[in-house]
Amino acid sequence: MLHISQKNIDLSKSTVLYDAPFTSKTLERDWETTCGGGDWKVVDGWLDGRDETNHGALVYSRFSYPGDILLDFVGKTVGNCDNDLNFSFCSAGWDYDKVDAAPGYIAGLGGWWDNKTGIEHYPQLKPWAATGLLKLEAEREYHIQAGNIGDHSFIFVDGVLIVELFDPLRHEFDLLGRVGLGAYHGHVRFRDLKVIRPSWESVDCIYTGEVN
């Protein structure tokens, strides 16, 4: 069970929409890898991405999953890299004319040039929510569960809720459903990716007990 503001997400009742290990075959079949450049390959079951630019490189799912979505995966940076373990959801993919990510949410650990964990409404960059309380460490593996329910986006890291974003402009992404994984001037790896339709219920929040 994952608890976010006034909602409980029940993973046992949620629907898995995509669950396939990273292999050379699934990378070619299921993912668009030319988005922004970078070098993408499969290494020992990890999706390995390296980007030496300062504009970022992503892979996007060829399939689209509009609506409420939850990404569940393990990620890490490689070597001494300790920045920008990135991912995307509710996305249109890549805009080849602008040579940039198309509209959607871009989120990540160790980002925004200041080792922050957060979510941004792209390309407007606002609303944006981030925290500096979680510092990405090079080579450490992180279990990330992130996505959105309606206008409510969130990131869990190793089972702990790290950041939430309430976005009044969420409706702009209603028909967008591609998901992505990315690097930004760094070296990253991902494995065990699942794309999930979250089952959730509202929670009435009240204080109980006596006030002394």
Side-chain angles (χ1 to χ4, degrees):
M1 190 78 70
L2 301 176
H3 177 67
I4 56 179
S5 295
Q6 298 184 318
K7 299 179 182 72
N8 281 335
I9 302 171
D10 190 339
L11 295 178
S12 70
K13 297 180 180 179
S14 298
T15 303
V16 177
L17 305 177
Y18 180 84
D19 180 9
F22 286 114
T23 65
S24 297
K25 181 179 179 179
T26 59
L27 180 58
E28 180 179 0
R29 181 191 69 195
D30 300 340
W31 299 90
E32 181 184 2
T33 60
T34 58
C35 306
D39 178 26
W40 294 94
K41 57 189 176 183
V42 176
V43 178
D44 297 328
W46 293 88
L47 174 63
D48 181 284
R50 182 194 297 268
D51 172 64
E52 298 182 1
T53 73
N54 268 285
H55 64 258
L58 298 103
V59 297
Y60 283 104
S61 63
R62 297 187 186 277
F63 308 105
S64 185
Y65 311 96
D68 297 344
I69 205 72
L70 172 69
L71 302 183
D72 189 316
F73 61 93
V74 175
K76 70 174 185 175
T77 57
V78 179
N80 61 2
C81 176
D82 61 359
N83 66 279
D84 290 271
L85 185 65
N86 293 339
F87 46 96
S88 180
F89 50 92
C90 301
S91 175
W94 187 257
D95 188 326
Y96 286 93
D97 292 331
K98 295 182 179 179
V99 193
D100 196 5
Y105 290 114
I106 296 180
L109 280 60
W112 295 278
W113 304 278
D114 200 21
N115 206 340
K116 292 181 178 177
T117 296
I119 309 166
E120 64 183 14
H121 179 124
Y122 200 81
Q124 290 88 340
L125 305 183
K126 294 182 179 179
W128 168 53
T131 177
L133 295 178
L134 175 69
K135 298 298 186 183
L136 180 67
E137 300 175 18
E139 285 287 351
R140 176 177 169 181
E141 295 185 15
Y142 295 91
H143 178 201
I144 297 169
Q145 296 163 298
N148 84 291
I149 295 172
D151 63 355
H152 188 177
S153 298
F154 52 87
I155 300 175
F156 285 81
V157 178
D158 295 333
V160 178
L161 179 62
I162 302 299
V163 65
E164 296 178 275
L165 170 68
F166 290 91
D167 182 5
L169 302 178
R170 166 66 178 82
H171 63 276
E172 296 179 0
F173 301 157
D174 280 349
L175 299 179
L176 308 181
R178 298 179 73 182
V179 301
L181 302 168
Y184 191 109
H185 194 74
H187 190 181
V188 297
R189 285 183 176 176
F190 305 92
R191 65 172 172 83
D192 300 338
L193 173 71
K194 297 181 181 65
V195 180
I196 297 169
R197 180 78 70 220
S199 174
W200 63 278
E201 60 182 8
S202 298
V203 177
D204 292 328
C205 297
I206 60 172
Y207 291 111
T208 60
E210 297 181 359
V211 177
N212 296 322

